[in-house]
Amino acid sequence: MPDRPDPDAALMLAVQRGDREAFTQLVGRFQQPIYNFILRTLRDETEAEDLTQVTFVQVWKSAARYSVKARFSTWLYTIARNLCLNEIRRRSRHPADPLDATPDDEDRPAPQYEDRSAPPATDELLHGELQTKLAEALADLPEHQRTAILLCQQEELSYEEIAAVLGCSLSATKSLIFRGRETLKLRLKGYLRTGDWI
Amino acid sequence: MNLKLDETQLRELAWRRPLTEAELARLEEVLQVNPGTREEWLADARLSEALRQLPQQPGPSNLAARVLAEIDRDRPARSPSQKSPWLLARWQRWAGGATALLLLSGGFWWQQHAQRLAAQQTKALTTFARSTEATQLPSAEALENFEVILRIHPEPLADMELLALGEKLAAMPSHP
């Protein structure tokens, strides 16, 4: 049993009895984090939308198998991750041309050169660039490390629950997060300027 | 106090949320003992903040209604497949009944066959026993020279004339 009370478990028990209102509440509560989790994993908005929908359809269909032994969010993220893994496997079996493939030379925009006379880039611009680079670096991480780091950002999940979603031990989970973060820090070295504590 | 343990705990907390004032104060104590890790800690804190500030997309609109519609759409589509287990169950019942009937009739036939066989064997044994009881075998001494006796000239034929004469004499009235 989870050591913290889980209001979502009560909703899920209602869903088990076929309560559509409880189900709507659960979807409303988790659709954004699940969509963003899938989007950061697959980097495709259409597929992320589809898989988010499939995740919740799966929740409804598998409601009878849900046990209050685990937090609802742990169960939900496990379903979402498994669907992502299936999609990643499907992609590796049927590789298609990536949507963001390098354009042909004639389509390529003219190179941009730094205008040294212009004022220095603002923090806002740097921040925007950092976000883009971070999203890219995250996408390039091995799936285990990326999932561990993304789930680590979900405050409602404890390290034990992240380990349950990943299907590995607590120490292995922390090691995955540490190694993933080390890779990110290395790739974003220029952007992670030192300064005051945030 | 174990500084290494403190540092590990603080690091794991900082991965998840901004540290509180008390936790930052504790971290400062740790960093005063080990100032070489300050830069690393700052980079870690910046990374955590950047991860927290990653833009969150709003997600698909009207998802709950779409999911429920998908579930409802799936239901009639699944009715035939829901029928198939029922059909399967009916077929299984039929197959089970037929198998049971086959087993019962097979068992009955086997029982009858076994009884017939036993009766035949009993009859054959009885006949054999009777035949062995009916003719007594000659003694072992007689059988010892069986081959020799067999080769001896067959016994002389009966004197038929003498026998006829004897019969005639017997038929004649007796003399006083």
Side-chain angles (χ1 to χ4, degrees):
Chain A
M1 285 285 285
D3 42 359
R4 292 165 285 152
D6 183 12
D8 304 319
L11 284 173
M12 193 56 207
L13 291 176
V15 172
Q16 281 182 336
R17 297 190 295 270
D19 187 335
R20 292 163 83 98
E21 181 52 41
F23 182 67
T24 307
Q25 281 185 48
L26 281 176
V27 174
R29 188 162 140 57
F30 284 99
Q31 69 170 37
Q32 192 184 19
I34 289 293
Y35 171 73
N36 280 283
F37 170 72
I38 297 173
L39 180 62
R40 297 213 191 289
T41 304
L42 299 180
R43 298 194 75 198
D44 183 312
E45 287 185 8
T46 312
E47 279 184 359
E49 276 204 20
D50 288 348
L51 272 199
T52 306
Q53 186 169 324
V54 173
T55 301
F56 285 105
V57 169
Q58 197 68 44
V59 166
W60 177 270
K61 283 182 181 172
S62 314
R65 288 206 295 272
Y66 171 72
S67 159
V68 194
K69 281 180 204 160
R71 285 181 78 79
F72 171 71
S73 50
T74 311
W75 189 64
L76 179 63
Y77 277 104
T78 306
I79 292 175
R81 182 186 179 230
N82 286 340
L83 288 169
C84 286
L85 287 175
N86 287 347
E87 178 57 25
I88 290 167
R89 275 195 283 268
R90 191 194 65 79
R91 280 182 184 181
S92 65
R93 279 198 303 269
H94 308 286
D97 290 334
L99 294 173
D100 55 348
T102 314
D104 294 337
D105 277 350
E106 62 260 31
D107 297 333
R108 190 173 294 164
Q112 303 277 313
Y113 298 104
E114 189 185 354
D115 182 0
R116 291 181 190 278
S117 62
T122 60
D123 279 355
E124 209 169 312
L125 274 174
L126 273 175
H127 187 69
E129 203 175 329
L130 168 61
Q131 286 184 346
T132 310
K133 295 285 175 193
L134 178 55
E136 285 172 8
L138 260 176
D140 289 343
L141 283 179
E143 189 276 332
H144 260 73
Q145 292 179 14
R146 180 179 52 242
T147 303
I149 288 174
L150 289 175
L151 294 180
C152 192
Q153 301 306 305
Q154 306 297 326
E155 280 188 26
E156 66 212 15
L157 291 177
S158 66
Y159 281 114
E160 285 82 0
E161 287 158 353
I162 297 170
V165 174
L166 290 168
C168 57
S169 69
L170 184 61
S171 57
T173 301
K174 288 178 179 175
S175 169
L176 284 171
I177 296 169
F178 178 78
R179 280 187 283 137
R181 288 180 65 101
E182 287 302 301
T183 308
L184 292 180
K185 278 194 284 183
L186 204 65
R187 276 194 60 172
L188 304 168
K189 206 171 182 178
Y191 296 93
L192 302 173
R193 295 166 305 143
T194 54
D196 295 334
W197 295 114
I198 296 167
Chain B
M1 201 176 282
N2 188 340
L3 283 176
K4 189 72 192 164
L5 187 66
D6 264 8
E7 195 177 351
T8 307
Q9 284 173 346
L10 287 168
R11 191 183 297 280
E12 287 172 7
L13 284 173
W15 284 348
R16 317 229 39 204
R17 58 168 173 77
L19 296 179
T20 62
E21 288 297 320
E23 287 161 351
L24 281 174
R26 183 72 201 128
L27 178 59
E28 277 301 331
E29 287 174 30
V30 171
L31 292 176
Q32 274 168 16
V33 178
N34 194 3
T37 57
R38 182 176 288 273
E39 288 298 308
E40 188 195 326
W41 266 97
L42 284 168
D44 224 34
R46 291 271 172 187
L47 176 63
S48 296
E49 187 56 23
L51 282 167
R52 272 191 286 275
Q53 287 186 359
L54 272 176
Q56 293 290 305
Q57 304 290 329
S61 59
N62 207 16
L63 182 70
R66 281 163 55 184
V67 170
L68 286 170
E70 174 71 24
I71 291 162
D72 291 339
R73 218 181 3 258
D74 202 27
R75 224 173 248 168
R78 256 182 20 180
S79 328
S81 64
Q82 281 168 345
K83 268 183 193 169
S84 66
W86 176 76
L87 279 173
L88 189 69
R90 203 168 70 161
W91 181 84
Q92 280 172 339
R93 275 201 298 275
W94 275 102
T99 311
L101 194 66
L102 205 66
L103 282 171
L104 275 173
S105 53
F108 180 74
W109 176 84
W110 179 253
Q111 196 185 16
Q112 293 293 311
H113 175 72
Q115 277 178 357
R116 254 198 323 270
L117 204 67
Q120 278 174 358
Q121 283 173 348
T122 311
K123 196 175 166 187
L125 281 171
T126 313
T127 311
F128 176 73
R130 273 190 198 144
S131 64
T132 50
E133 275 169 16
T135 50
Q136 292 230 336
L137 287 171
S139 67
E141 282 169 10
L143 287 174
E144 195 177 328
N145 299 316
F146 182 77
E147 291 292 323
V148 179
I149 293 165
L150 201 66
R151 270 188 239 111
I152 292 173
H153 189 74
E155 43 186 88
L157 296 170
D159 190 344
M160 299 308 287
E161 285 179 8
L162 188 62
L163 282 172
L165 188 63
E167 278 176 6
K168 272 182 191 174
L169 284 173
M172 282 175 63
S174 58
H175 296 282

